[in-house]
Amino acid sequence: MPRMILLGAPGVGKSTHSANITKMFDIPTISTGDILRENIKQGTELGNRAKTYIEAGELVPDEIILDIVRERLDRGDTKNGYLLDGFPRTIAQAERFDSGLARRGKTLDRVLYLSAPKEVLLKRIATRQICPKCGTAFRIDNGQEEICSMCGARLEHRLDDEVSTTEKRIDVYIEQTEPVVEHYKEKGLLMEFDASPDMETVQAGINEALKAI
Ligand code: AMP
């Protein structure tokens, strides 16, 4: 029953691949970014607090994120495992998460790390559109408005996918999240995948590697 983390820079394809992985194991994806976006959409207090950070390309403070994750992991659907997408993003979050698991006598099974060069990330973010209703991400190269193939809603550009914010988010990732990759590498939990090829190739590599666990 896998408890897994999916790590990678903005635009690397985390949400695209998380859907496939969670289907394989029949476990839920827990995306802190999706939870925050939903709160912004609903206009909750949490959403209002998070919006300023997200729009600036900064990380939302650890305490807010840890509360969200704690509350989400307490729900019954996580008892057979889960995939955390976009969490932890700082060493403090990783350490608090690890010690929370240890206190409950649980272990983390794998940390999947998707990597790609910066120019690939920038191109993917520039052409990314997201469904405001179901959260599915799409790549739109011709700039036309598109409809979500999963639920029919009109796709939107993400509020933090503006060019000015993108560079900042990648810098924040290098500074604050790459150490998390190292943290789990040292623990022997890391599985690294080159996410620069097309989606099908990356997915096939992930599926093959995960068969063994
Ligand atoms: P994502 O959809 O994972 O790219 O997240 C979108 C934005 O939400 C990020 O750029 C951060 O501002 C915020 N966010 C999501 N997850 C976290 C996290 N674990 N820690 C801090 N901020 C987060």
Side-chain angles (χ1 to χ4, degrees):
M1 291 301 115
R3 287 182 210 94
M4 299 190 287
I5 288 173
L6 182 60
L7 286 178
V12 80
K14 294 190 296 297
S15 67
T16 304
H17 293 293
S18 68
N20 161 55
I21 299 163
T22 49
K23 208 158 108 198
M24 225 174 140
F25 293 101
D26 195 20
I27 51 174
T29 304
I30 299 175
S31 157
T32 41
D34 281 351
I35 296 172
L36 294 168
R37 275 186 290 278
E38 185 55 31
N39 274 274
I40 292 173
K41 206 163 82 189
Q42 306 281 337
T44 66
E45 197 191 322
L46 167 68
N48 293 339
R49 284 180 70 194
K51 194 169 185 233
T52 327
Y53 297 100
I54 294 180
E55 282 182 342
E58 287 167 6
L59 292 183
V60 173
D62 290 337
E63 288 309 319
I64 298 181
I65 297 292
L66 286 160
D67 279 351
I68 292 175
V69 173
R70 205 174 296 121
E71 188 273 327
R72 181 61 187 85
L73 289 180
D74 277 346
R75 293 199 212 154
D77 65 345
T78 62
K79 67 176 189 306
N80 291 331
Y82 47 81
L83 178 71
L84 288 163
D85 166 358
F87 172 91
R89 260 178 156 101
T90 64
I91 284 287
Q93 290 178 16
E95 286 176 345
R96 294 273 291 277
F97 174 68
D98 295 350
S99 56
L101 269 186
R103 259 199 318 278
R104 290 173 180 79
K106 291 180 176 161
T107 50
L108 186 62
D109 296 288
R110 285 287 185 276
V111 176
L112 316 178
Y113 169 46
L114 303 179
S115 64
K118 190 171 176 179
E119 58 274 16
V120 172
L121 305 175
L122 291 174
K123 175 142 194 284
R124 286 187 184 165
I125 292 174
T127 56
R128 171 159 70 183
Q129 296 244 327
I130 192 164
C131 173
K133 209 162 147 199
C134 69
T136 309
F138 295 88
R139 196 149 301 136
I140 308 292
D141 284 319
N142 56 13
Q144 282 172 341
E145 281 193 75
E146 295 279 341
I147 301 296
C148 175
S149 57
M150 312 296 278
C151 72
R154 189 168 297 280
L155 301 181
E156 291 175 355
H157 204 54
R158 256 173 62 162
L159 55 90
D160 55 348
D161 275 353
E162 298 307 324
V163 179
S164 55
T165 319
T166 301
E167 290 269 357
K168 165 86 181 166
R169 284 164 61 213
I170 294 176
D171 289 348
V172 165
Y173 170 81
I174 292 169
E175 198 180 302
Q176 306 206 49
T177 310
E178 279 190 347
V180 176
V181 175
E182 224 24 64
H183 171 84
Y184 287 117
K185 194 174 189 174
E186 281 165 18
K187 288 178 176 276
L189 292 172
L190 205 74
M191 293 173 93
E192 182 168 354
F193 300 93
D194 175 8
S196 359
D198 60 86
M199 195 264 252
E200 288 77 15
T201 308
V202 179
Q203 186 163 313
I206 295 174
N207 289 354
E208 189 54 36
L210 290 183
K211 267 193 208 155
I213 74 165

